[in-house]
């Protein structure tokens, strides 16, 4: 990774995105949201997030999405999967400034605007729940239709923010899901993070901006020829079974693995199958050929975009770790960022009863087998303690022992007293 610094900006390269931190003293990157929609999370004491559908598909790590969650903690959660045990701060986020913020103040608001080409979210006058003395923060994130992400900051009173109650992050991250069936029913879902950009919070100040420009990825190609002809830093290959182009690590990892694409994918145009439905012509008139469409991204009106001069690494080191807590994440030396997993267990409704009944049946069978084995041992070894106990408690001995005991009072006693004493009822309507 190479970093170059100028007087007004810091640029960096992150494999899937390039970043630029720009001084914006004139407010050119700030989008005023007066008279625009006020989100329901504004001044809300209970809600922490709300799902929002935008009017266009936003390419996030090359994957088009239009539904995500806006949170009060200063970030967008770019997935619709939720679970009580899920660590939201782990991955799937676009975070202009993630922290233990809330909107319970009278002047705290979350605003947004969707114009069909960009979507802007503003956290206005939000305060840290455990450090309210630092003052209000006001900042925005803008998602452009071409995949560019913009962070703009209007008021950042302090960057020394405690991450004790909630992680403090500036950047983006993505992951894929991997489900494994449980032998007792249900399944375990692993959230495996494959990339993370976590910028230095100390770079933030009033009237600064961060621009994240997307870089080409394999999953943007839709045909075998286009996929195997890509000249990018990722090792792209085409899987016929999945009809997908990938480097093997992206949102569709489980489908890629289930289709055995790691073994059966192709990486050169010569390995692509020849189309079988090529039309034949019998006349000498030649039809005008249609050129192969190439995907070009729309330009975004963001000034001062420098050319990238660094190259991305071609190797990927994967380390999978199962975590269940929201503790601080250790730094790693992975080339593209360490892949980690957050395991979340979910239950299928159709198998929930099986998960309870099967262990009970097994335990009952084991108890019956042990009791039968003990009875056989006691009967075949009458001189042992077990044999003597079984003889003393045989049905014949027990009958002789209780033959002289009466469980009923004399029939001459007042039966009304008996019934009032024991209170026996047989009417089932009282239960």
């Amino acid at each position: 990774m190479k970093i170059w610094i100028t007087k007004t900006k810091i640029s960096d390269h992150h494999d899937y995105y390039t970043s630029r931190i720009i001084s914006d003293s004139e407010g050119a990157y700030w989008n005023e949201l007066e008279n625009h929609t006020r989100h329901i999370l504004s001044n809300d004491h209970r809600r922490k997030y709300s799902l929002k559908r935008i009017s266009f598909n936003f390419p996030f790590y090359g994957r088009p999405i239009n539904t995500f969650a806006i949170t009060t903690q200063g970030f967008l959660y770019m997935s619709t999967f939720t679970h009580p045990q899920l660590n939201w701060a782990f991955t799937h986020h676009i975070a202009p400034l993630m922290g233990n913020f809330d909107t319970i103040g009278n002047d705290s608001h979350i605003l947004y605007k969707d114009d069909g080409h960009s979507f802007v979210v503003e956290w206005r006058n939000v305060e840290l729940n455990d450090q309210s003395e630092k003052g209000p923060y006001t900042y925005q994130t803008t998602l452009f239709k071409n995949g560019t992400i913009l962070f703009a900051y209007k008021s950042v009173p302090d960057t020394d923010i405690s991450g004790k109650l909630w992680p403090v992050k500036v950047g983006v991250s993505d992951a894929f899901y991997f489900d494994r069936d449980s032998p007792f029913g249900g399944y375990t879902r692993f959230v495996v993070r494959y990339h993370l950009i976590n910028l230095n919070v100390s770079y933030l100040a009033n009237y600064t901006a961060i621009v994240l420009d997307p870089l080409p990825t394999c999953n943007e190609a839709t045909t075998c020829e286009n996929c195997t002809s890509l000249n990018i830093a990722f090792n792209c290959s085409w899987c016929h079974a999945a009809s997908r182009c990938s480097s093997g690590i992206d949102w569709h990892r489980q489908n890629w693995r289930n289709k055995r694409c790691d073994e059966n994918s192709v990486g050169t145009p010569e390995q692509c199958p020849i189309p079988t439905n090529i039309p034949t012509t019998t006349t000498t008139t030649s039809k005008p050929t249609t050129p192969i469409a190439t995907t070009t991204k729309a330009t975004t009106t963001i000034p001062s975009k420098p050319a990238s001069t660094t190259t991305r690494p071609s190797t990927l080191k994967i380390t999978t770790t199962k975590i269940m807590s929201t503790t601080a994440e250790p730094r790693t030396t992975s080339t593209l960022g360490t892949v980690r997993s957050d395991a979340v267990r979910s239950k299928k409704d159709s198998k929930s009863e099986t998960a309870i009944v099967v262990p009970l049946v097994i335990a009952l069978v084991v108890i019956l087998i042990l009791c039968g084995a003990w009875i056989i041992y006691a009967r075949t070894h009458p001189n042992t303690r077990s044999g003597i106990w079984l003889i003393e408690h045989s049905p014949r001995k027990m009958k002789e022992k209780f033959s002289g005991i009466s469980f009923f009072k004399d029939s001459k006693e007042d039966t009304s007293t008996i019934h009032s004493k024991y209170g026996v009822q047989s009417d089932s309507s009282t239960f």
Side-chain angles (χ1 to χ4, degrees):
M1 181 179 294
K2 185 181 293 185
I3 300 177
W4 60 94
I5 302 177
T6 64
K7 182 177 180 181
T8 59
K9 56 181 174 291
I10 301 174
S11 299
D12 202 353
H13 196 286
H14 309 278
D15 307 301
Y16 290 87
Y17 291 89
T18 59
S19 66
R20 293 177 287 130
I21 303 177
I22 304 172
S23 176
D24 185 29
S25 59
E26 298 180 356
Y29 293 87
W30 185 259
N31 195 329
E32 290 295 343
L33 295 185
E34 297 299 334
N35 300 322
H36 288 291
T37 307
R38 180 175 177 267
H39 200 275
I40 58 175
L41 292 174
S42 299
N43 197 21
D44 197 306
H45 294 259
R46 299 179 180 178
R47 295 192 183 188
K48 292 298 182 182
Y49 73 93
S50 176
L51 291 176
K52 175 63 180 176
R53 179 183 292 272
I54 60 177
S55 61
F56 59 92
N57 286 330
F58 171 72
F60 184 59
Y61 283 86
R63 172 176 59 93
I65 60 176
N66 59 12
T67 303
F68 47 82
I70 301 175
T71 72
T72 59
Q73 287 88 3
F75 69 97
L76 306 179
Y77 176 67
M78 307 303 289
S79 177
T80 57
F81 172 69
T82 61
H83 192 278
Q85 297 179 359
L86 183 64
N87 179 3
W88 282 46
F90 178 71
T91 186
H92 287 319
H93 61 253
I94 295 179
L97 180 55
M98 180 192 297
N100 190 31
F101 293 100
D102 60 37
T103 57
I104 61 177
N106 293 329
D107 295 329
S108 298
H109 304 286
I110 296 180
L111 309 174
Y112 67 88
K113 180 182 72 172
D114 187 345
D115 62 6
H117 300 282
S118 64
F119 180 77
V120 187
V121 182
E122 178 179 333
W123 289 263
R124 178 178 295 181
N125 295 326
V126 294
E127 295 183 354
L128 292 164
N129 188 278
D130 56 335
Q131 302 171 80
S132 58
E133 69 278 0
K134 293 185 179 297
Y137 291 72
T138 299
Y139 51 92
Q140 296 177 344
T141 183
T142 303
L143 312 182
F144 292 94
K145 197 172 184 178
N146 70 339
T148 298
I149 302 171
L150 169 65
F151 300 156
Y153 305 89
K154 189 174 184 179
S155 175
V156 182
D158 193 352
T159 58
D160 185 16
I161 303 174
S162 172
K164 183 178 181 180
L165 299 180
W166 192 274
V168 179
K169 295 182 180 180
V170 176
V172 297
S173 178
D174 197 26
F176 59 82
Y177 299 139
F178 194 86
D179 298 336
R180 288 183 179 177
D181 291 332
S182 172
F184 300 107
Y187 63 93
T188 299
R189 166 160 287 185
F190 293 86
V191 182
V192 185
R193 188 183 66 198
Y194 65 88
H195 190 255
L196 169 68
I197 299 176
N198 199 9
L199 302 176
N200 195 333
V201 182
S202 63
Y203 291 148
L204 305 185
N206 296 344
Y207 295 102
T208 59
I210 298 176
V211 181
L212 297 175
D213 293 305
L215 296 172
T217 57
C218 300
N219 52 11
E220 296 176 355
T222 57
T223 65
C224 180
E225 291 77 11
N226 291 344
C227 175
T228 53
S229 300
L230 289 175
N231 185 20
I232 60 178
F234 297 104
N235 296 321
C236 303
S237 58
W238 179 263
C239 180
H240 302 294
S243 297
R244 189 174 301 280
C245 181
S246 176
S247 62
I249 302 296
D250 58 25
W251 173 265
H252 301 282
R253 170 60 185 170
Q254 182 162 19
N255 182 52
W256 185 268
R257 188 173 183 271
N258 292 342
K259 299 291 186 179
R260 307 182 71 86
C261 294
D262 288 330
E263 298 85 6
N264 302 323
S265 59
V266 297
T268 60
E270 292 75 15
Q271 295 176 300
C272 295
I274 300 175
T276 58
N277 56 348
I278 299 177
T280 58
T281 59
T282 56
T283 62
T284 58
T285 303
S286 60
K287 294 183 178 181
T289 59
T290 302
I292 299 176
T294 58
T295 304
T296 59
K297 295 185 176 181
T299 58
T300 305
T301 57
I302 296 179
S304 306
K305 179 178 179 181
S308 177
T309 59
T310 59
T311 59
R312 286 174 290 179
S314 60
T315 59
L316 175 63
K317 180 181 179 182
I318 302 174
T319 305
T320 304
T321 307
K322 182 176 179 181
I323 67 169
M324 293 295 292
S325 63
T326 59
T327 55
E329 300 155 6
R331 295 184 179 180
T332 59
T333 58
S334 171
T335 305
L336 294 185
T338 303
V339 177
R340 299 180 60 192
S341 64
D342 191 3
V344 177
R345 182 170 183 80
S346 302
K347 289 293 181 182
K348 296 178 181 177
D349 295 338
S350 60
K351 296 184 179 181
S352 60
E353 294 182 358
T354 305
I356 299 175
V357 173
V358 171
L360 293 178
V361 172
I362 294 175
L364 181 61
V365 171
V366 171
I367 293 173
L368 292 177
I369 292 174
L370 293 176
C371 291
W374 178 81
I375 293 174
I376 294 174
Y377 172 80
R379 292 180 64 87
T380 55
H381 299 78
N383 294 327
T384 61
R385 289 186 177 182
S386 298
I388 294 173
W389 188 93
L390 186 62
I391 293 173
E392 292 178 349
H393 294 81
S394 64
R396 182 172 59 84
K397 293 290 185 180
M398 296 299 294
K399 184 177 180 181
E400 294 177 355
K401 182 180 296 186
F402 292 104
S403 60
I405 300 176
S406 176
F407 289 93
F408 302 96
K409 293 183 178 293
D410 191 276
S411 59
K412 294 180 180 180
E413 291 186 10
D414 185 6
T415 56
S416 61
T417 305
I418 298 175
H419 289 290
S420 63
K421 180 178 180 180
Y422 293 98
V424 179
Q425 296 182 354
S426 60
D427 185 4
S428 60
S429 64
T430 60
F431 291 93

